[in-house]
Amino acid sequence: SKATVSVLYWRGDMFRPARCLATKARPLIVRTDSEQQVPNLVAGLKSAGTLVELAEHGTTEKDVIEACRDASLIVHCYTPITRKVMEAAAGLRGIVKYGVGIDAIDMVAARELGIPVANVPEYGEGTVAEGAFTLMMCLLKKVKPIQRQMESTGWTWPGEDTLGNDLCGKTVALLGYGRIGRKMARMCRGFDAKVVSYDPHVGREVMEGEGVVKVDSVEELVAMADVLSVHTVLNDDTRGIISKQRIAMMKPTSVVINVSRGAIIDEQALVDALLGGHVGGAGLDVFSKEPVSRGCGHLFEPLLDHPAAILTPHLAFWTSEARSRLEAEAMERSKEILTGQLLTVLSSDPRLRSQTKGVSFGGYSVASGRMVPP
């Protein structure tokens, strides 16, 4: 009734082999990305089973395979959960993403293997929209160069380098009109901005009913934008959708905001456009290669000191309130898997909605306090 499980624990800056004891009464749970500080979720998982935690950085696919070989549950954030990981975990009952994006999970393999997957879609839409809005306003108001002058000399006088712009009257163009995009639209409209959006999955009447103009192509969207804000998931259709050619269609004064996924934008083209003066600014919270660091040749290193670039470390979601909602919802999904219930899928993501085994759709969201329709 007992099995000894070989795992890898993160200790400082290296992995060291360890042993943990799993029993039928104490299922093995693997949480990836232990850098993410979610103490209430960790406490709940420890009370529900034998918990093994892996760091995101420095963890290889082989490490994940070995740690998950006898796992009943994987609680995942960013570390890739590949087909090989799932195939090696013969007793795996399900995967919970403590977050929204599922692009690091091989969903094709999960469906084929009958492993149910759920995310936490509603914990932070307002929080992330606030993050996007903050980046936008900081760029429009030249907060970075002003703050640097204050830190350097204690004061700065009105000049061209600190001359900001109003949001009122500007056109904010949203790529994607889901939960976060809607929140962003509402905030911008409150400042008397014109809001337009491209989203082939949302009807014109829905957008117009919320005071937003629907456009019919990405080309039209980027050409209109004073601010382009990205609010779509990363998938095969959206990868690189803000391409070099489309960036070239933007106004030289336009600002690009991305709090979704780095690979939605041709990042090299964006860096080149900003350094060349072909766009006016960039506020980025996400990058294809994370973390960004100095001295390592990272693509975005030249923008770290650029006055019209504000880079934040994938923390648009990171507030006390959002974390509490995330922890509670992720724990509810984890309990469902560990107690043999159907896994509740609250997301409208087609990759999750196409699952046919071990899931139910819709239900009560602890994070938002509302019923989500099937």
Side-chain angles (χ1 to χ4, degrees), residues 125-139:
E125 59 262 33
T127 302
V128 175
E130 287 179 7
F133 192 86
T134 299
L135 289 171
M136 174 182 68
M137 293 303 294
C138 285
L139 287 167

Side-chain angles (χ1 to χ4, degrees), residues 79-153:
T79 298
I81 306 299
T82 64
R83 176 182 290 273
K84 289 182 179 179
V85 170
M86 289 182 257
E87 287 178 341
L92 185 61
R93 304 181 205 169
I95 301 169
V96 173
K97 163 65 187 275
Y98 60 107
V100 180
I102 57 169
D103 42 284
I105 302 172
D106 187 334
M107 286 301 303
V108 173
R111 285 193 299 271
E112 290 177 359
L113 296 169
I115 299 170
V117 179
N119 63 351
V120 183
E122 297 198 334
Y123 80 96
E125 59 262 33
T127 302
V128 175
E130 287 179 7
F133 192 86
T134 299
L135 289 171
M136 174 182 68
M137 293 303 294
C138 285
L139 287 167
L140 291 177
K141 302 302 181 183
K142 302 295 181 71
V143 168
K144 185 174 181 178
I146 291 172
Q147 181 62 24
R148 287 192 166 178
Q149 284 289 331
M150 293 296 291
E151 291 171 351
S152 175
T153 65

Side-chain angles (χ1 to χ4, degrees), residues 136-206:
M136 174 182 68
M137 293 303 294
C138 285
L139 287 167
L140 291 177
K141 302 302 181 183
K142 302 295 181 71
V143 168
K144 185 174 181 178
I146 291 172
Q147 181 62 24
R148 287 192 166 178
Q149 284 289 331
M150 293 296 291
E151 291 171 351
S152 175
T153 65
W155 198 254
T156 187
W157 298 102
E160 289 300 318
D161 60 337
T162 57
L163 183 64
N165 293 280
D166 292 337
L167 178 58
C168 177
K170 297 294 188 297
T171 297
V172 178
L174 306 178
L175 180 67
Y177 197 68
R179 294 184 179 96
I180 298 173
R182 281 180 163 88
K183 295 279 188 179
M184 181 69 167
R186 190 179 305 167
M187 295 177 195
C188 293
R189 292 185 61 244
F191 280 69
D192 294 325
K194 177 183 178 181
V195 182
V196 303
S197 181
Y198 172 78
D199 190 324
H201 306 293
V202 180
R204 188 177 305 276
E205 65 283 356
V206 173

